[in-house]
Amino acid sequence: MEYLDQIIGLFSDFSNPKKRVFVGYLGLSVLIAFLWLILFQKTSLRTALARIFDRKVFFSSSAMTDYKIFLINRIFTGFISPLLLTQVAIATAVYMALVRSDLTLWGAYEHVSKPLVVAMFSVAMFLADDFTKYLMHRWMHRWPALWSIHKVHHAAETLTPITVYRIHPLEGVLYASRNAVAQGSVISVFYYLFGNTVDLYTVVGVNVLVFVFHVTGSNLRHSHIDIRYPRWLEHVLISPAQHQLHHSIAEEHYDKNYGAALAVWDWVFGSLHVSDGQKDMKFGLRDDEKHPATSLLTAYFTPLREIYDMSRATIGRLTSKARQRLRLPRHHAAERDAQN
Amino acid sequence: MNRSLKLGTSLVAAMLLSSAAYAESYGPYPITEKSYSGDKTNSVSYSGQVARNVMIDSLKKLAGKANGGANAEELKATMMLYFARANKEDLAIVSHEGKDGFPIKQTMVNEISSSSNLVGKTYGGLVPGYPGSKTGAEVVEHMIHHAAMSDGGVDYDLGYDYGQLIQKFLIGAVSYNQIVDNYLDEKMTAGNKPNNKPYSDGAAYTGKEHSWDEGFGYFGAPAHALDLDANQAYGISKKKELAAGDANGDGTIDLKSEMTFGNAYYAADADKSGTDYLHTITSAFIEGRKVITSADGAALTDAQLSQVQALAATIEDEMTKVLAEATFKYAGSVYKDIEKIRADKANIDDKVYRDYIKHWGELKGFAMALQTGRENLGGTAVRLNRLIGYGPPTKDESVVTGIDADGNFVKEGKMSWNTYQLNMLKVQDLLLKEFGLEARKNDGTENLAALVKELDTDSGGAETD
């Protein structure tokens, strides 16, 4: 019986509306994909069905690796979830720093109408979350050590909703920490200003804005259904096609579209690339990354090996620099020679 | 061979089991004083300290008997006897009266000890948290004077619960102070109360033995405290847990060795939240007494002295933390009370206001108690006193600012509920940083923590874009 519970536990994300792969969101994503294909791509019903449930995608060796990583990582989640406590610690630390500060704003706005506070809080939580996701994602691509970790995700050659779980456990830790810092700070600042009025607008227990993101097809970002938005909208929201482009192997698509829900961050910081209608984009990594899509060993151990090598090289560089510094300056050497 | 092995194993197992079931008590300890010629066999004695703990608690009870002025003079005289009796007057134990299902052996203080009073043992330094530059004893006398004139020990207009203020302050100003600044301090140095002389002529105990015992007596733990868990030790004081408290099984609670008082009570209270103050402090007392006993009536060697002093330092640290935990707890209570008051400032509920004043009395009493130790808390004390003030905001947000030349309280300040509630958070923050507290009862950030957990935002975990 216990075994059964544990096995069911492995798949609990599918029944949790806080998770992207909640069955309800998956179902809506299928519906959206279906409508997109029929109404905008003018495909037949039969073709649409065949495209959505494409065996070549869902049973590709890359996707099979996604599934395995999903299952293996579920075991790591047990190590990650205690970080929820950290969020309390961060929130408390930020809050007490504000209490200690000379700001005299403690509870200063607690009489502001509740709906307004809740609306502002819901938006602030969403923005803080989305912006820090953007930042973290950008760093994951631009810092070599972080890229080693994030490559695990980009090694996927086919994209399915489960690809969100194709991730090195270290990245999971980083993401959970980011979440704790971002949301812990927003909660504490709001609590400091507005006291017990603070609350979230939620639907099925989820921030209403996150809910909107999910019901409008967040699962299609990792899929082969390249839904595009009008050009202006792709400056505000990241479309599935824009995120697929982020996974593209083509050089012009490198380091573009880091955003999660909002495209404005990419737009402001110059990494935006609107979808260009390019068919049959190739996903994955270049050969010189030496990171095959299907190797579990590579997925879990190569990032560690690469980070180890990088730190050794850095330490080596630093010690040789230090040695050079410690050498006698030139004129001292000349004096010494003269004395001899 | 086989049989003796079995027997040996069973014996060892039985010993282990019995030691697990019955942890060590504080005493009895043999008589090591060579000059003693009487027929006592136990050198442990701390009845004077128990009597003082009883009188401290009785003062709180007595304050409650004030009836708005009619009995002021008489009540003040009675309270002053409990505080400063000089002629062995026998006094009723009003704080610990037995009841059905919880009989208590003694009913009069002199059944415990007749020679002790509180005033001679009250902190002699100035008490900066109290208006009027008064010594510890002067503070108590001033409070007794006002308590006797109050209504049920409480002045709603000033925001004072005198019973709480007096009792909590004395837990520090007498019991804690006598331990950390006297019996376990200078009396544990080589020249003072040496172990090769009786504590006083003809006594059954040496100077060091009795000094140490007095320390334990002031702490207020039952002798068998190591046998009790936090709830039991706490429960005895609440007149529950008769079976746990009645160590000798005679069906009554002997206040001299089976009751939990003052400092030990608040150690147990904190321990209900997972700390181990009561056992740590009691163990240190037992260990120290064993070191002293092991000297067998000779002067303590340097090694023994430093062992005893190290244990005394542990006791001081832990007891100080216990007082800080209690201050922290009541700052949190006041914080929560103000939360309720602010919900409807114009119509403050009587019960809420009564609780608030009670909690403030406990907070203020403990905050002052904390400042009666051996060490000057310096800037921490200044900040603590400024944050807490001389009085709490009362119904119209006015606060006591001092006392006039006649000793009457002056209430000329204003303090908003909001500011004062924030001050309570700052008090907790200060105590946390200064004393490294662990029990942290009534933490003012509980609501924030609850909010974070309630929002239970998806911790991200194993997914990425």
Side-chain angles (χ1 to χ4, degrees):
Chain A
M1 218 39 216
E2 227 168 71
Y3 273 127
L4 194 66
D5 283 349
Q6 278 175 355
I7 290 169
I8 291 170
L10 288 179
F11 298 98
S12 62
D13 282 8
F14 292 98
S15 60
N16 178 1
K18 285 180 178 155
K19 297 289 182 180
R20 192 184 289 184
V21 294
F22 171 58
V23 283
Y25 305 145
L26 285 171
L28 279 169
S29 296
V30 169
L31 186 69
I32 291 166
F34 200 66
L35 291 175
W36 164 261
L37 291 173
I38 305 254
L39 299 179
F40 293 91
Q41 306 286 302
K42 312 286 181 205
T43 58
S44 68
L45 205 79
R46 202 190 172 86
T47 320
L49 277 174
R51 279 238 14 224
I52 292 169
F53 300 104
D54 191 340
R55 291 175 55 117
K56 285 200 299 266
V57 172
F58 288 100
F59 295 100
S60 71
S61 54
S62 168
M64 297 307 278
T65 309
D66 292 2
Y67 307 148
K68 287 177 201 157
I69 293 178
F70 166 81
L71 286 172
I72 295 168
N73 280 1
R74 289 301 298 178
I75 298 157
F76 283 100
T77 318
F79 298 107
I80 292 166
S81 32
L83 284 171
L84 184 63
L85 266 185
T86 315
Q87 189 166 344
V88 172
I90 289 169
T92 310
V94 173
Y95 178 67
M96 287 316 290
L98 290 168
V99 163
R100 256 173 251 137
S101 75
D102 293 330
L103 295 170
T104 48
L105 296 171
W106 186 76
Y109 302 105
E110 64 183 0
H111 297 301
V112 175
S113 81
K114 177 133 185 158
L116 183 61
V117 174
V118 178
M120 287 194 298
F121 181 62
S122 305
V123 170
M125 285 285 273
F126 178 75
L127 289 180
D129 195 44
D130 202 64
F131 178 58
T132 51
K133 275 183 180 168
Y134 169 83
L135 269 188
M136 172 79 83
H137 193 184
R138 191 181 164 103
W139 294 335
M140 299 300 302
H141 279 263
R142 298 208 166 182
W143 294 4
L146 295 181
W147 172 238
S148 290
I149 298 169
H150 190 51
K151 267 198 292 197
V152 175
H153 180 64
H154 276 272
E157 289 171 352
T158 52
L159 299 178
T160 80
I162 304 301
T163 310
V164 284
Y165 291 97
R166 182 192 179 107
I167 165 181
H168 194 273
L170 279 178
E171 186 167 344
V173 172
L174 287 174
Y175 257 70
S177 312
R178 173 208 59 78
N179 183 73
V181 170
Q183 307 205 346
S185 309
V186 174
I187 294 172
S188 52
V189 169
F190 268 76
Y191 188 71
Y192 175 77
L193 295 172
F194 301 100
N196 289 327
T197 323
V198 177
D199 205 352
L200 266 186
Y201 275 130
T202 60
V203 181
V204 291
V206 190
N207 186 340
V208 63
L209 295 171
V210 176
F211 180 76
V212 169
F213 174 58
H214 286 327
V215 294
T216 52
S218 63
N219 279 300
L220 294 171
R221 297 155 58 84
H222 292 123
S223 79
H224 50 290
I225 312 296
D226 54 346
I227 294 180
R228 305 171 61 190
Y229 295 160
R231 194 181 160 80
W232 66 268
L233 189 56
E234 288 195 341
H235 283 73
V236 182
L237 300 171
I238 297 273
S239 70
Q242 275 176 295
H243 189 70
Q244 290 154 17
L245 182 150
H246 169 78
H247 276 268
S248 155
I249 210 164
E251 201 161 341
E252 65 271 26
H253 296 154
Y254 288 173
D255 294 342
K256 297 294 178 197
N257 300 349
Y258 300 119
L262 297 179
V264 284
W265 318 122
D266 281 299
W267 189 17
V268 170
F269 296 105
S271 48
L272 186 75
H273 196 307
V274 292
S275 65
D276 45 18
Q278 198 171 330
K279 289 284 164 205
D280 302 324
M281 271 187 290
K282 208 165 169 275
F283 304 135
L285 294 170
R286 289 188 318 220
D287 290 344
D288 60 355
E289 297 279 7
K290 295 183 184 132
H291 199 115
T294 53
S295 163
L296 283 176
L297 278 179
T298 308
Y300 283 97
F301 295 107
T302 300
L304 302 178
R305 174 82 215 176
E306 287 181 356
I307 291 172
Y308 174 74
D309 289 344
M310 274 180 236
S311 14
R312 269 192 55 167
T314 311
I315 291 166
R317 261 202 316 279
L318 288 175
T319 42
S320 78
K321 253 190 201 164
R323 257 193 229 116
Q324 274 172 5
R325 285 259 173 100
L326 284 173
R327 272 204 203 142
L328 285 173
R330 219 167 258 266
H331 65 277
H332 283 176
E335 274 172 23
R336 190 185 54 210
D337 290 345
Q339 279 169 0
N340 290 342
Chain B
M1 174 68 196
N2 212 359
R3 220 176 129 183
S4 62
L5 199 68
K6 270 184 194 165
L7 191 69
T9 315
S10 320
L11 266 176
V12 170
M15 277 164 67
L16 283 174
L17 275 174
S18 62
S19 68
Y22 296 102
E24 212 167 331
S25 280
Y26 191 90
Y29 295 110
I31 291 173
T32 66
E33 174 50 46
K34 305 290 184 262
S35 69
Y36 179 67
S37 55
D39 50 9
K40 286 186 184 168
T41 54
N42 178 11
S43 60
V44 176
S45 167
Y46 50 80
S47 53
Q49 288 59 48
V50 174
R52 288 192 185 93
N53 280 331
V54 164
M55 290 189 284
I56 290 172
D57 289 351
S58 291
L59 277 171
K60 179 180 108 179
K61 197 85 179 181
L62 288 170
K65 296 190 189 299
N67 64 3
N71 67 350
E73 214 167 306
E74 184 196 341
L75 182 61
K76 182 179 172 182
T78 308
M79 288 179 79
M80 282 309 293
L81 278 182
Y82 280 79
F83 182 57
R85 65 175 177 169
N87 300 306
K88 303 191 175 182
E89 292 90 341
D90 204 1
L91 305 166
I93 299 172
V94 292
S95 55
H96 295 82
E97 290 170 346
K99 60 170 191 182
D100 273 355
F102 199 90
I104 288 176
K105 193 171 172 185
Q106 297 89 350
T107 57
M108 301 298 286
V109 175
N110 286 2
E111 292 170 54
I112 303 170
S113 161
S114 60
S115 56
S116 47
N117 70 18
L118 294 169
V119 69
K121 298 289 183 181
T122 305
Y123 177 66
L126 283 179
V127 181
Y130 200 81
S133 296
K134 294 180 184 305
T135 65
E138 287 164 356
V139 165
V140 177
E141 284 170 30
H142 189 254
M143 290 197 286
I144 287 176
H145 174 72
H146 286 272
M149 295 189 296
S150 73
D151 187 5
V154 181
D155 188 324
Y156 293 91
D157 184 45
L158 299 176
Y160 290 149
D161 181 329
Y162 293 107
Q164 293 295 348
L165 283 162
I166 293 168
Q167 183 209 23
K168 267 54 182 190
F169 176 56
L170 286 174
I171 284 175
V174 171
S175 306
Y176 166 72
N177 173 263
Q178 284 299 313
I179 296 172
V180 303
D181 201 14
N182 182 17
Y183 289 108
L184 266 55
D185 185 28
E186 58 251 35
K187 291 208 169 74
M188 286 302 135
T189 54
N192 202 332
K193 294 290 176 195
N195 201 47
N196 55 353
K197 287 187 182 148
Y199 186 86
S200 51
D201 286 342
Y205 31 72
T206 70
K208 285 279 178 285
E209 282 171 350
H210 191 55
S211 298
W212 195 261
D213 290 350
E214 301 221 340
F216 182 70
Y218 276 123
F219 175 52
H224 63 302
L226 294 187
D227 264 341
L228 306 171
D229 64 28
N231 285 309
Q232 289 171 324
Y234 181 88
I236 296 170
S237 202
K238 293 283 184 201
K239 297 182 191 171
K240 296 170 189 163
E241 304 283 354
L242 174 67
D246 183 16
N248 63 4
D250 67 355
T252 64
I253 292 294
D254 184 348
L255 294 178
K256 287 163 90 168
S257 61
E258 296 172 338
M259 177 50 73
T260 315
F261 294 102
N263 288 279
Y265 171 79
Y266 280 96
D269 184 35
D271 290 348
K272 289 193 292 172
S273 298
T275 48
D276 200 24
Y277 294 120
L278 178 65
H279 288 173
T280 308
I281 297 167
T282 306
S283 301
F285 269 115
I286 290 175
E287 285 312 305
R289 186 53 158 86
K290 279 158 68 181
V291 172
I292 296 169
T293 308
S294 72
D296 197 22
L300 297 192
T301 64
D302 286 351
Q304 285 168 332
L305 264 181
S306 51
Q307 254 182 300
V308 167
Q309 285 162 357
L311 289 161
T314 302
I315 291 167
E316 179 181 19
D317 288 349
E318 296 291 303
M319 285 190 68
T320 307
K321 275 172 90 170
V322 168
L323 290 179
E325 294 272 18
T327 315
F328 184 97
K329 171 183 166 178
Y330 291 114
S333 301
V334 170
Y335 176 91
K336 288 179 177 174
D337 295 334
I338 298 181
E339 191 82 33
K340 290 181 202 156
I341 289 171
R342 281 173 55 209
D344 190 4
K345 280 193 277 194
N347 303 295
I348 299 169
D349 181 76
D350 284 346
K351 169 84 169 62
V352 169
Y353 191 66
R354 173 70 190 90
D355 286 348
Y356 161 67
I357 289 175
K358 172 178 179 278
H359 292 145
W360 189 85
E362 294 178 289
L363 162 69
K364 182 67 183 173
F366 274 120
M368 292 194 298
L370 192 54
Q371 298 170 52
T372 58
R374 189 169 57 90
E375 296 204 14
N376 185 338
L377 296 181
T380 303
V382 174
R383 288 183 58 203
L384 200 59
N385 294 331
R386 285 186 184 165
L387 288 168
I388 298 171
Y390 290 146
T394 50
K395 282 187 175 172
D396 60 355
E397 301 191 331
S398 61
V399 290
V400 169
T401 44
I403 49 180
D404 64 19
D406 299 327
N408 298 313
F409 288 103
V410 178
K411 196 172 152 216
E412 287 175 346
K414 280 274 181 185
M415 168 75 75
S416 72
W417 294 114
N418 201 49
T419 306
Y420 201 73
Q421 198 187 1
L422 178 62
N423 280 2
M424 294 301 99
L425 274 184
K426 290 179 176 173
V427 166
Q428 290 198 327
D429 184 46
L430 180 66
L431 293 168
L432 209 53
K433 277 197 292 191
E434 188 66 26
F435 300 98
L437 304 182
E438 292 152 59
R440 301 174 63 161
K441 282 171 174 272
N442 291 336
D443 194 325
T445 61
E446 271 170 9
N447 277 355
L448 173 62
L451 181 67
V452 173
K453 283 178 191 155
E454 184 194 312
L455 295 178
D456 185 21
T457 54
D458 179 12
S459 62
E463 49 185 278
T464 192
D465 278 305

